[in-house]
Amino acid sequence: MNKLYTTILLILLLIGSTKTTSAQGNNFIVISGTVLGQDDKLPLPGVTVTIKNTVSGTSTNSAGLFELRTRAKFPFTLVISSVGFQTQEFLIENADSKLNIELVTQTQLGREVVVTASRVEESILKSPVAIEKLDIRAIRESPAPSFYDALENVKGVQMTTSSITFKVPNTRGFNIPNNFRFVQLVDGVDMQAGTLGVPLGNAIGPTELDIASVEITPGAASALYGMNAINGMANLITKSPFLYQGLSVYQKSGLNHLGGTGRELSNLSETAIRYAKAFNNKFAFKVNLSYMRGTDWVSDTRTNQNPNNLNTANPSFPELNADADNPAYDAWNKYGDDNGSNAVTLTGLSIPGRTGNQSIIVRRTGYFEKDVVQPTVDNLKFDAALHYRFGDHAELSYGYRFGKLDGLFQRGNKIQMDNVNVQNHKLELKGANYFIKSYLSVENTGDSYNIKPLVDNLDITSGGTNAVWGAKYRTALQNALNNGTPLAEALRVGRAAADASRVEPGTAAFNALKSQIIKINNWDHGAVIPGAPATGGAFLTQRSRTYHTDAQWDLSEKVKIFDLLIGADARVYEVIPDGNNFVDFSRPIADRTTPLADGSFGNNVYYKKFGSFAQVTKTFLVIN
């Protein structure tokens, strides 16, 4: 893989060098001017000034002044644009005059330019597919805590909030926490973690200070973006350091728990900073840093999922209909009391008033979710980018993005995320009508653990296997029945006896056993699987890498008679076996959960994906 990236880098530099050489004979010219609002004649800061059909551009300062250095040959066209104003074009034939430009305000409806629908800039009204856009002004004016929350107000979008740090946009009715087929891109980089299988857009993506716009395709986008976009996609476009310079800071604070909900009064705060600087319209950089901290909500619903009238309970014993009397009680936010691996049938019981041997289904006691998770959530994000322009027609950039997060994530069951970190490296060369980019995403789940095996192994270690626990329960239950105790009360006596050695939440013994289990990678328990750890484990170790390269070339100017866009991409997933979710099947079954000398659990597995597309936009024919 290192050779591949070295080769790509050399190709990019050669292309850039070619572009630079062609401009060596030209001297820099400087175009300057002032941009005002036509209505109030006041200077407009942050107005974008670009040379049409090139990558060259700048923006106005706080006084509405701009200065653009270029090697472009006269005549050329300047494009002046800003959110809320009509875009204007000016033909520049010489460098003698200083420009004084007045922009006219306009309604935004139908005026937006989007790039996601056809992978090239076009009016939103000419887009071949439905697309929704949030620009800087819409994001700034939204009452939502963050622009990720603001996406929920976009037509056709539903937001699933698995935790404070996991917000998953959904479209086309797929309102699920694991919407694997909804793609989140940030400047063309897929934000989905390779093995976690979740989009990490708000956990590692840009801050609100660095967002230029958000474009959402609520329908299938797989023709141009691959099968993972069959449920839709969100494209987050960040600010260019050439166009948006200076220092920006924000601090947000609020309360997300007011007490009386199982958590004490707590606040939610986020701090972000952005700094960008350009030098002579040639070199630019930007840096973003943000930190968010809060307390997640409490999952403590105790509604019974298994009332006694169901066959998975004890419908033939109507005296157990009350939830307090139901031995097969299964609370919503409780683990270890499920029907899959935690139901025990007590057989051969002699119950007064009934003839013959009787059977009763009971569930392990388990632990409430609030007792085994950490509610404190934090999210640290950092990204930086370097940009260099080879004349007016090519720009080379390198971007690095890092995100570290804690919190909870709902999958098949809940995952406690602890010190999860994800990194992205991106190298891109782009021109007015082409780009080639390559990126690497690295995932590490840190000290995370899986709630389900944690609770199961707490039960087995401190209370015995289902067989041992059930035997203790049955003996105490039968003795209580023999002594004339009513059935419902006798069942409570039996449970107390079976749970006598169970570690109780909040005690030192509970905390010590929990700490031991969450540090062990093998989820099997030695009392159930010979050779497994004596206490079992719950550690979630998932490390993966995603290698991706794609290129695109717009040939519309060369073809003339129709718009033609071609492209290709290649992706490699490197999945590292963890012995639990991902297993190296080349190893013997008995050895698959045993780490090798280097600490891994087998040979890495590579999954490759290749694709290409050609799009003729006048007939909307797409080949993939």
Side-chain angles (χ1 to χ4, degrees):
M1 288 301 169
N2 290 333
K3 290 183 178 179
L4 173 62
Y5 273 85
T6 302
T7 303
I8 292 172
L9 179 59
L10 289 174
I11 293 173
L12 296 181
L13 292 177
L14 286 173
I15 295 173
S17 299
T18 302
K19 291 291 183 180
T20 304
T21 302
S22 65
Q24 290 294 320
N26 300 327
N27 293 321
F28 273 118
I29 58 174
V30 179
I31 305 297
S32 61
T34 304
V35 182
L36 307 175
Q38 186 184 66
D39 296 336
D40 53 17
K41 309 301 181 184
L42 294 177
L44 295 176
V47 175
T48 300
V49 181
T50 59
I51 299 176
K52 192 173 184 178
N53 296 325
T54 73
V55 297
S56 291
T58 185
S59 59
T60 58
N61 62 18
S62 58
L65 301 174
F66 71 89
E67 185 176 277
L68 177 59
R69 295 166 60 90
T70 179
R71 284 194 175 100
K73 295 180 180 179
F74 296 114
F76 57 82
T77 302
L78 280 187
V79 179
I80 317 296
S81 62
S82 181
V83 175
F85 294 89
Q86 180 178 332
T87 298
Q88 297 187 33
E89 296 186 0
F90 295 89
L91 182 65
I92 307 298
E93 297 180 316
N94 58 64
D96 295 337
S97 59
K98 181 179 175 67
L99 300 175
N100 291 294
I101 301 167
E102 294 184 356
L103 293 185
V104 180
T105 57
Q106 69 170 12
T107 175
Q108 285 297 104
L109 184 62
R111 303 280 185 170
E112 295 95 336
V113 173
V114 296
V115 297
T116 303
S118 300
R119 297 178 73 116
V120 293
E121 287 190 359
E122 61 186 343
S123 167
I124 194 170
L125 294 179
K126 296 180 180 179
S127 168
V129 298
I131 191 166
E132 303 293 332
K133 179 175 180 177
L134 285 177
D135 56 30
I136 296 175
R137 185 172 66 175
I139 293 171
R140 184 171 57 245
E141 294 175 353
S142 171
S146 72
F147 75 90
Y148 285 98
D149 297 280
L151 298 181
E152 191 169 12
N153 299 322
V154 174
K155 182 177 64 176
V157 177
Q158 305 85 39
M159 185 71 72
T160 299
T161 304
S162 294
S163 78
I164 295 176
T165 49
F166 277 106
K167 298 181 185 297
V168 183
N170 290 274
T171 59
R172 304 189 69 196
F174 293 92
N175 198 1
I176 54 177
N178 289 2
N179 196 351
F180 306 113
R181 301 303 186 187
F182 185 94
V183 170
Q184 288 188 40
L185 299 180
V186 176
D187 293 331
V189 176
D190 193 342
M191 289 289 103
Q192 182 156 299
T195 52
L196 275 178
V198 295
L200 299 174
N202 66 314
I204 188 178
T207 69
E208 186 173 320
L209 293 176
D210 197 38
I211 279 289
S213 64
V214 180
E215 297 176 9
I216 296 179
T217 305
S222 54
L224 293 182
Y225 295 95
M227 287 303 298
N228 274 1
I230 196 171
N231 289 348
M233 68 170 296
N235 191 9
L236 282 61
I237 302 168
T238 66
K239 296 176 179 177
S240 165
F242 286 106
L243 304 180
Y244 299 89
Q245 300 183 49
L247 177 68
S248 304
V249 180
Y250 75 65
Q251 166 67 42
K252 297 180 179 180
S253 294
L255 297 176
N256 69 329
H257 285 285
L258 301 177
T261 61
R263 296 276 187 255
E264 298 298 325
L265 180 71
S266 61
N267 70 310
L268 176 67
S269 65
E270 182 180 10
T271 304
I273 182 170
R274 179 186 187 271
Y275 182 71
K277 178 68 176 176
F279 302 90
N280 297 324
N281 201 39
K282 190 75 173 176
F283 172 76
F285 74 90
K286 66 177 178 179
V287 178
N288 289 278
L289 179 67
S290 73
Y291 179 72
M292 186 273 291
R293 184 178 178 86
T295 303
D296 225 327
W297 66 84
V298 182
S299 297
D300 197 26
T301 300
R302 306 197 177 195
T303 302
N304 185 12
Q305 301 180 77
N306 190 45
N308 199 56
N309 61 299
L310 299 180
N311 289 332
T312 49
N314 301 283
S316 59
F317 293 91
E319 63 267 39
L320 304 178
N321 280 339
D323 286 344
D325 299 330
N326 182 2
Y329 174 82
D330 181 5
W332 269 107
N333 294 126
K334 197 176 189 182
Y335 285 84
D337 60 349
D338 59 276
N339 188 53
S341 58
N342 300 112
V344 179
T345 301
L346 307 180
T347 61
L349 293 171
S350 176
I351 300 177
R354 292 176 177 264
T355 59
N357 291 331
Q358 302 294 315
S359 296
I360 290 182
I361 298 175
V362 299
R363 303 276 184 94
R364 296 296 292 259
T365 304
Y367 295 89
F368 283 103
E369 183 179 305
K370 67 183 183 66
D371 296 324
V372 292
V373 300
Q374 171 55 254
T376 301
V377 174
D378 64 5
N379 183 199
L380 173 68
K381 294 191 289 190
F382 168 81
D383 68 86
L386 303 174
H387 293 248
Y388 182 78
R389 285 176 172 170
F390 298 98
D392 295 327
H393 298 283
E395 180 180 318
L396 179 68
S397 63
Y398 166 75
Y400 172 75
R401 191 175 297 278
F402 172 84
K404 178 263 178 188
L405 68 147
D406 298 334
L408 294 173
F409 171 64
Q410 178 71 55
R411 200 155 61 173
N413 50 279
K414 281 202 172 176
I415 305 295
Q416 174 71 66
M417 314 301 281
D418 188 10
N419 291 323
V420 174
N421 63 79
V422 181
Q423 302 178 66
N424 292 143
H425 301 266
K426 185 188 76 165
L427 187 64
E428 181 177 22
L429 178 70
K430 67 178 181 179
N433 61 355
Y434 71 90
F435 73 78
I436 177 172
K437 70 172 177 286
S438 184
Y439 63 82
L440 164 67
S441 296
V442 183
E443 169 195 12
N444 187 333
T445 52
D447 301 315
S448 303
Y449 57 90
N450 193 334
I451 306 301
K452 167 64 174 170
L454 167 62
V455 171
D456 284 347
N457 288 328
L458 281 169
D459 269 338
I460 295 172
T461 303
S462 64
T465 63
N466 285 356
V468 172
W469 183 84
K472 290 188 290 184
Y473 197 132
R474 184 191 180 287
T475 299
L477 170 61
Q478 188 62 69
N479 289 339
L481 291 172
N482 294 341
N483 291 329
T485 306
L487 178 59
E489 181 61 31
L491 284 165
R492 282 190 279 272
V493 171
R495 183 174 297 276
D499 285 342
S501 60
R502 173 179 176 269
V503 289
E504 292 293 332
T507 63
F510 174 87
N511 294 333
L513 183 55
K514 176 189 169 187
S515 297
Q516 182 178 355
I517 292 173
I518 63 176
K519 294 176 182 177
I520 297 174
N521 182 61
N522 189 345
W523 298 350
D524 295 326
H525 196 286
V528 179
I529 304 296
T535 61
F539 185 52
L540 181 72
T541 172
Q542 293 189 357
R543 291 164 176 79
S544 69
R545 297 189 176 205
T546 302
Y547 304 87
H548 180 96
T549 297
D550 67 310
Q552 178 178 298
W553 191 10
D554 186 356
L555 296 172
S556 303
E557 290 295 322
K558 298 182 181 297
V559 176
K560 302 296 185 181
I561 60 174
F562 54 80
D563 296 334
L564 176 63
L565 185 71
I566 63 174
D569 68 84
R571 178 177 292 189
V572 176
Y573 293 102
E574 180 185 6
V575 178
I576 302 173
D578 63 354
N580 295 305
N581 284 317
F582 298 95
V583 178
D584 182 357
F585 290 100
S586 66
R587 300 183 65 191
I589 295 177
D591 298 336
R592 289 176 184 172
T593 55
T594 303
L596 300 172
D598 62 358
S600 69
F601 289 83
N603 297 319
N604 297 354
V605 181
Y606 294 88
Y607 300 94
K608 300 179 181 179
K609 181 183 78 69
F610 301 95
S612 63
F613 66 86
Q615 182 183 20
V616 183
T617 58
K618 287 197 174 180
T619 59
F620 304 122
L621 169 66
V622 177
I623 305 170
N624 191 14

